Amino acid sequence: MSKKIAILATNGFEEVELSSPKEYLEKQGWQADVVSPESGSIKSWASTDWGKDYKVDQELKNVKATDYDALVLPGGVINPDKLRTDENALSFIKDFFEAGKPVAAICHGPQILISAGLVKGRKITSYPSIKIDLINAGADWHDQEVVVDKGLVTSRNPDDLPAFNKKMVEEIKEGKH
């Protein structure tokens, strides 16, 4: 069964945390759209410096959570910090949770979920530097390569991508939670 997944990102996303899940989703025969508040293209961050530009498939203002089966939130330091102050982005993310659709967030990606008020009482993992922020927001933080809680898939860093991608696809195949 064909699926359509939104990957929400803006300038400064960690390149491999968008490219790896996108490729993995497309290998399933699914459509993976880069959705952004920006139009045209967005610039990645590749470990220690700016990386490649990535084409934006859909501008955030033109799509709704009902257009998609699941959501992916790549990390990087800059990307989540920009998105967490964007009311349209927060509203888009909340709609996935309200609909019970799978959401996958890696590295600093879960930081956006704090601003959206979506981590309280949830089992979660993340990049270690935002552990305290997540705990203070009410999350039950675990230091594991992948943590799943009612359709929410989280991982710590790019090293966890194989486990993250596999679990993300499992949750998308299961559908609504």
Side-chain angles (χ1 to χ4, degrees):
M1 179 172 215
S2 187
K3 302 278 186 187
K4 191 173 169 186
I5 295 90
I7 303 173
L8 181 61
T10 190
N11 291 302
F13 63 90
E14 185 65 43
E15 186 168 358
V16 71
E17 293 172 7
L18 184 147
S19 62
S20 174
K22 182 172 173 52
E23 288 165 16
Y24 200 84
L25 290 164
E26 289 169 346
K27 277 187 190 149
Q28 311 304 310
W30 300 342
Q31 181 178 332
D33 287 351
V34 174
V35 175
S36 180
E38 269 65 54
S39 61
S41 68
I42 51 176
K43 190 167 256 336
S44 67
W45 185 261
S47 297
T48 58
D49 204 353
W50 291 103
K52 297 190 306 198
D53 285 359
Y54 281 73
K55 180 181 162 286
V56 172
D57 298 303
Q58 294 291 335
E59 265 186 86
L60 179 59
K61 67 182 182 188
N62 299 329
V63 295
K64 301 181 294 302
T66 53
D67 299 331
Y68 295 98
D69 297 295
L71 174 66
V72 177
L73 300 170
V77 176
I78 302 165
N79 177 59
D81 203 54
K82 284 184 174 180
L83 291 174
R84 69 190 302 193
T85 60
D86 184 319
E87 287 305 319
N88 290 335
L90 297 177
S91 177
F92 185 65
I93 295 164
K94 286 177 190 173
D95 290 346
F96 279 90
F97 277 82
E98 284 168 18
K101 293 181 178 182
V103 174
I106 188 165
C107 197
H108 287 79
Q111 206 169 31
I112 308 163
L113 303 178
I114 295 170
S115 297
L118 298 167
V119 300
K120 190 173 178 132
R122 289 237 183 211
K123 277 180 59 180
I124 209 163
T125 195
S126 68
Y127 196 74
S129 68
I130 65 166
K131 169 186 175 179
I132 298 302
D133 300 329
L134 286 159
I135 291 169
N136 287 342
D140 177 14
W141 195 88
H142 297 265
D143 185 12
Q144 294 169 238
E145 69 176 0
V146 66
V147 173
V148 181
D149 183 342
K150 296 186 267 317
L152 173 62
V153 179
T154 53
S155 283
R156 302 169 299 192
N157 59 55
D159 294 341
D160 297 338
L161 278 162
F164 177 76
N165 289 339
K166 187 171 176 269
K167 274 294 180 201
M168 168 185 69
V169 165
E170 272 178 38
E171 293 301 305
I172 294 169
K173 283 179 177 175
E174 281 179 25
K176 290 185 180 182
H177 287 73

